[in-house]
Amino acid sequence: MIDIINIRKYFPILNATVYGNPLIYLDNAATTQKPECVIQTIDELYRTGNANIHRGVHFLSEQCTEKYEQAREKIRQFINAEKTSEIIFTSGTTGSINTVASSFGERFVSAGDEIIVSEMEHHSNIVPWQLLCERKGATVKIIPFDDKGVLRIDLLDALISERTKIIAVTHASNVLGTINPVKEIIAKAHLHNIPVLVDGAQAVPHGIVDVSDLDCDFYTFSGHKIYAPTGIGILYGKEKLLEQMPPYQGGGDMISTVTFDKTTYAQLPLKFEAGTLNFIDAIALGAAIDYVNNIGRQNIIEYENKLLDYATQKMSSVEGLKIYGEANDKVAIVSFLLKDIHHLDTGMILDKKGIAVRTGTLCTEPLLAHFDKTGMVRASFAFYNTFDEIDILCENLEKILLMFK
Ligand code: PLP
């Protein structure tokens, strides 16, 4: 059960007012708000515990290192990875995908090779592959989706060739909300020995990830979308692949020994953690994971599914409102347009009522092109949102319709 009153008290920003109205924060797919335990972890570390990790023999350095490595272990358990050596701290999903595109690409991709992504990817899971293809003379191939926002995995077999080097696909779409059948995609890919990277930025916050069960080769997500600070994220990679890949960046911490003749690299995961990592926020990510575990992932899934069903049904009854993304299996994201009213107008009027939604391309221009649109409005929910907030959203959408009549 979700104890909504106490949960909301635990997120200080949810008490804020915007233009004199109580804040209704429905932009959780962009970034989530932070619970007290995350704010306190950062505050306490900077007040009493800050020292650079992995370097010092002094007390604070050792203590910080221990907490950092404990956070890594929490994340390993959270996504059910086999080993902590497979959990790499990065700056976020974008950082993780760029690491793989660059390092895996350097080792395994050559001219004439192919990389498959889907039509519903965030730009973060398109552009790093395009950059790689430009460098190497490879090409990107696309798995399309249908008008309900369901991926056409029936077309995947025809897209795979002996030149396919990797498939990179989102677990859940940040616009359509669609939860993709990534386990099935991975099984198909593995029949051809093709590794799969799963972009979990929108799946992890909704409690649905087990990398061992999926058998994915890489899995990526961002801390700030799961109640942790910005600037920290995770790259999970299978050890046997990470070991064959060159370091992404050079610097401190990622080396074993350095001479001007030859440098050798550190063991995993440090081989991919060059320089001073964002260790304070990594520890705070551990605190966020503890918090989510305490709430209970099954409770989160059940509550958010109820919010999604309620929002879908209520919003569908607003005259002229069209929802984009009607898959059966969705996370709590509802993207829409109100008749021919510009998405920015809708977003700006809602803002004046204290309702924060996202508008614009949502970092998915190819997805929008599918629907021949240049922008949408997106309401995205977290377990601290309420049914009343959905009612207020819908009341204001009705008012906007009247204003534009
Ligand atoms: N992938 C998806 C599906 C996303 O929704 C986002 C962010 O919205 C990203 C990748 C990029 O995440 P970040 O900006 O935290 O690196």
Side-chain angles (χ1 to χ4, degrees):
M1 274 290 285
I2 292 286
D3 176 358
I4 192 73
I5 292 175
N6 279 319
I7 283 174
R8 286 185 67 85
K9 280 191 197 147
Y10 204 58
F11 287 79
I13 204 171
L14 297 180
N15 278 325
T17 53
V18 172
Y19 303 116
N21 302 292
L23 168 67
I24 296 182
Y25 186 76
L26 302 178
D27 196 16
N28 294 287
T31 199
T32 52
Q33 301 302 347
K34 312 308 168 202
E36 285 285 3
C37 58
V38 167
I39 299 168
Q40 278 165 17
T41 299
I42 298 167
D43 186 71
E44 271 171 36
L45 281 169
Y46 281 125
R47 284 177 196 283
T48 60
N50 177 47
N52 207 339
I53 53 169
H54 291 150
R55 281 153 208 214
V57 289
H58 62 83
F59 177 81
L60 285 184
S61 174
E62 285 188 348
Q63 195 182 53
C64 246
T65 305
E66 205 180 306
K67 288 184 174 172
Y68 179 74
E69 292 305 331
Q70 278 166 2
R72 199 192 301 277
E73 168 59 16
K74 284 177 193 177
I75 289 143
R76 184 198 68 72
Q77 287 179 22
F78 189 69
I79 63 171
N80 197 27
E82 210 177 302
K83 301 171 180 170
T84 46
S85 56
E86 299 177 318
I87 305 293
I88 295 160
F89 284 112
T90 65
S91 58
T93 307
T94 305
S96 301
I97 297 173
N98 275 282
T99 303
V100 178
S102 180
S103 169
F104 176 91
E106 183 58 35
R107 172 76 174 74
F108 293 107
V109 177
S110 349
D113 284 342
E114 293 163 0
I115 288 154
I116 298 178
V117 303
S118 90
E119 192 186 10
M120 67 170 75
E121 297 309 310
H122 187 280
H123 294 161
S124 292
N125 202 22
I126 299 174
V127 185
W129 303 111
Q130 289 177 323
L131 288 169
L132 169 67
C133 287
E134 272 173 31
R135 281 199 306 276
K136 294 280 187 165
T139 48
V140 174
K141 289 169 97 178
I142 317 298
I143 318 171
F145 61 82
D146 68 17
D147 287 345
K148 283 192 177 293
V150 176
L151 212 54
R152 295 284 314 272
I153 57 163
D154 54 306
L155 301 177
L156 182 58
D157 283 332
L159 287 167
I160 289 175
S161 79
E162 73 275 8
R163 299 309 303 258
T164 310
K165 284 294 147 75
I166 190 164
I167 298 174
V169 67
T170 193
H171 199 162
S173 161
N174 63 310
V175 178
L176 307 165
T178 313
I179 301 173
N180 287 319
V182 284
K183 193 169 171 179
E184 206 179 317
I185 295 172
I186 293 161
K188 268 183 196 281
H190 285 178
L191 289 177
H192 305 268
N193 289 322
I194 300 167
V196 178
L197 175 142
V198 180
D199 171 354
Q202 298 296 343
V204 165
H206 303 288
I208 47 172
V209 63
D210 178 333
V211 294
S212 296
D213 179 54
L214 291 178
D215 196 26
C216 55
D217 302 277
F218 301 104
Y219 198 96
T220 62
F221 66 95
S222 300
H224 71 98
K225 293 189 199 284
I226 182 166
Y227 314 104
T230 48
I232 191 74
I234 295 297
L235 166 61
Y236 158 82
K238 277 187 183 160
E239 192 180 70
K240 70 173 192 303
L241 275 169
L242 292 174
E243 267 174 353
Q244 293 175 70
M245 289 159 48
Y248 173 48
Q249 291 182 317
D253 248 19
M254 54 70 72
I255 51 89
S256 173
T257 61
V258 179
T259 69
F260 283 115
D261 291 333
K262 182 165 174 59
T263 290
T264 54
Y265 308 124
Q267 300 288 313
L268 292 171
L270 297 188
K271 176 175 138 186
F272 287 99
E273 293 185 356
T276 298
L277 256 277
N278 191 354
F279 59 90
I280 299 281
D281 292 326
I283 298 169
L285 171 57
I289 300 282
D290 285 342
Y291 176 67
V292 165
N293 281 333
N294 282 340
I295 301 280
R297 281 196 267 179
Q298 201 47 41
N299 291 331
I300 292 173
I301 291 172
E302 280 166 21
Y303 181 77
E304 289 185 353
N305 278 343
K306 284 187 193 147
L307 282 179
L308 174 65
D309 287 348
Y310 187 72
T312 306
Q313 174 240 312
K314 267 243 113 149
M315 290 167 75
S316 304
S317 65
V318 174
E319 194 212 322
L321 185 148
K322 171 150 177 56
I323 293 177
Y324 295 88
E326 298 166 282
N328 290 331
D329 217 4
K330 281 183 65 170
V331 293
I333 289 177
V334 184
S335 294
F336 65 95
L337 285 170
L338 263 187
K339 288 195 170 159
D340 53 0
I341 300 169
H342 197 279
H343 51 94
L344 284 180
D345 287 332
T346 306
M348 281 160 63
I349 298 169
L350 289 175
D351 176 50
K352 294 288 176 290
K353 299 291 174 189
I355 304 171
V357 291
R358 182 124 307 227
T359 53
T361 67
L362 312 175
C363 292
T364 52
E365 288 184 31
L367 183 158
L368 294 191
H370 178 109
F371 296 105
D372 204 15
K373 298 292 172 206
T374 52
M376 286 185 189
V377 188
R378 178 182 71 192
S380 54
F381 304 91
F383 59 77
Y384 45 60
N385 287 124
T386 66
F387 298 89
D388 285 351
E389 290 179 321
I390 295 169
D391 289 341
I392 298 170
L393 168 70
C394 290
E395 278 161 27
N396 281 284
L397 292 174
E398 300 277 7
K399 285 186 190 155
I400 294 172
L401 278 173
L402 289 178
M403 286 167 74
F404 282 83
K405 221 166 185 176

